[in-house]
Amino acid sequence: ETPYDRTIFLDTDTYVTDDLSAAFEVLAEFDIAVAHNSSPEGRDTHEMQSIPETFPEYNTGVLAYRSTDRTDAFLESWLQAYEAADEHPHDQPSFRDTLYRSNLRVATLPPEYNCLFRYPGYVVGPVRVFHGRLQSVDGPGAGQYFDIETAVERINATTANRVFTQLGGISVYTNRKDTLLGRARMSARQHGYRHLLREGITELRDGLR
């Protein structure tokens, strides 16, 4: 029932840290935009439905769409599929099923627009939407969640290509090949130390000119 031509729906456990306008821009060419579901539960649904494994489950916590008759019909079909399911603890299996059988043009949002930081992941550039419950919210299992502000601070401490995990708290690993030492190690590993020395001498000589 959104009154807008283009809408971004956000779950209540999302935390926005940057501009989201690019998600509106993609709707100029696509009907709907949504990110893959990177949680382990999302992989389990593949065997539950008659849909190819290569059509993944999406995470509906961040959902951008434009209001058209086609999109409205899809949303209605999704609701009917959800309500008709024998068991539906989550709305994403019915979303996947309805989307697979629809004629919507789907844009896949990168993980920076829906970062499920509770699971290992890979991001490039600033993460704009962190998806996970605030630890300060009182509720079942609240104390088991990672603190979202700590996640923001650590994961967005750099915009380089990076992998994050939850081992011993949230840990972030970046690509060290971009540093001088990292490039030297990569060159030695791929071409040998003789090549590395020759290239180093060449660069030094060219720099002195």
Side-chain angles (χ1 to χ4, degrees), residues 27-96:
L27 297 177
E29 300 294 336
F30 292 87
D31 298 305
I32 197 167
V34 61
H36 286 167
N37 186 23
S38 61
S39 70
E41 294 85 356
R43 305 294 297 181
D44 293 341
T45 61
H46 290 151
E47 299 179 358
M48 297 169 57
Q49 304 173 51
S50 58
I51 300 174
E53 185 180 90
T54 48
F55 189 82
E57 182 174 288
Y58 290 90
N59 186 281
T60 54
V62 179
L63 185 65
Y65 63 95
R66 59 181 176 179
S67 295
T68 64
D69 291 341
R70 184 165 58 180
T71 308
D72 290 345
F74 164 78
L75 293 174
E76 183 62 31
S77 296
W78 176 22
L79 176 61
Q80 292 175 2
Y82 173 79
E83 292 179 337
D86 294 332
E87 296 182 5
H88 45 76
H90 305 291
D91 59 4
Q92 289 167 178
S94 55
F95 179 87
R96 176 172 176 254

Side-chain angles (χ1 to χ4, degrees), residues 7-157:
T7 299
I8 298 179
F9 166 84
L10 299 171
D11 263 359
T12 57
D13 61 345
T14 53
Y15 191 88
V16 178
T17 60
D18 212 325
D19 179 23
L20 302 182
S21 59
F24 286 118
E25 294 172 7
V26 77
L27 297 177
E29 300 294 336
F30 292 87
D31 298 305
I32 197 167
V34 61
H36 286 167
N37 186 23
S38 61
S39 70
E41 294 85 356
R43 305 294 297 181
D44 293 341
T45 61
H46 290 151
E47 299 179 358
M48 297 169 57
Q49 304 173 51
S50 58
I51 300 174
E53 185 180 90
T54 48
F55 189 82
E57 182 174 288
Y58 290 90
N59 186 281
T60 54
V62 179
L63 185 65
Y65 63 95
R66 59 181 176 179
S67 295
T68 64
D69 291 341
R70 184 165 58 180
T71 308
D72 290 345
F74 164 78
L75 293 174
E76 183 62 31
S77 296
W78 176 22
L79 176 61
Q80 292 175 2
Y82 173 79
E83 292 179 337
D86 294 332
E87 296 182 5
H88 45 76
H90 305 291
D91 59 4
Q92 289 167 178
S94 55
F95 179 87
R96 176 172 176 254
D97 181 76
T98 307
L99 189 63
Y100 179 73
R101 305 177 198 288
S102 76
N103 61 352
L104 292 186
R105 294 198 69 203
V106 185
T108 301
L109 293 174
E112 295 79 39
Y113 283 80
N114 190 353
C115 179
L116 298 173
F117 65 90
R118 293 169 293 171
Y119 310 102
Y122 170 79
V123 291
V124 182
V127 173
R128 299 171 187 274
V129 182
F130 286 79
H131 191 172
R133 297 191 183 281
L134 286 169
Q135 203 172 38
S136 59
V137 174
D138 186 21
Q144 303 302 316
Y145 289 106
F146 290 99
D147 180 73
I148 197 167
E149 293 180 344
T150 300
V152 172
E153 179 182 354
R154 293 184 180 178
I155 295 175
N156 269 356

Side-chain angles (χ1 to χ4, degrees), residues 153-179:
E153 179 182 354
R154 293 184 180 178
I155 295 175
N156 269 356
T158 177
T159 57
N161 296 17
R162 58 208 187 275
V163 173
F164 58 90
T165 71
Q166 293 69 34
L167 184 62
I170 293 181
S171 302
V172 179
Y173 305 92
T174 59
N175 184 352
R176 299 182 183 276
K177 292 187 296 183
D178 293 334
T179 66

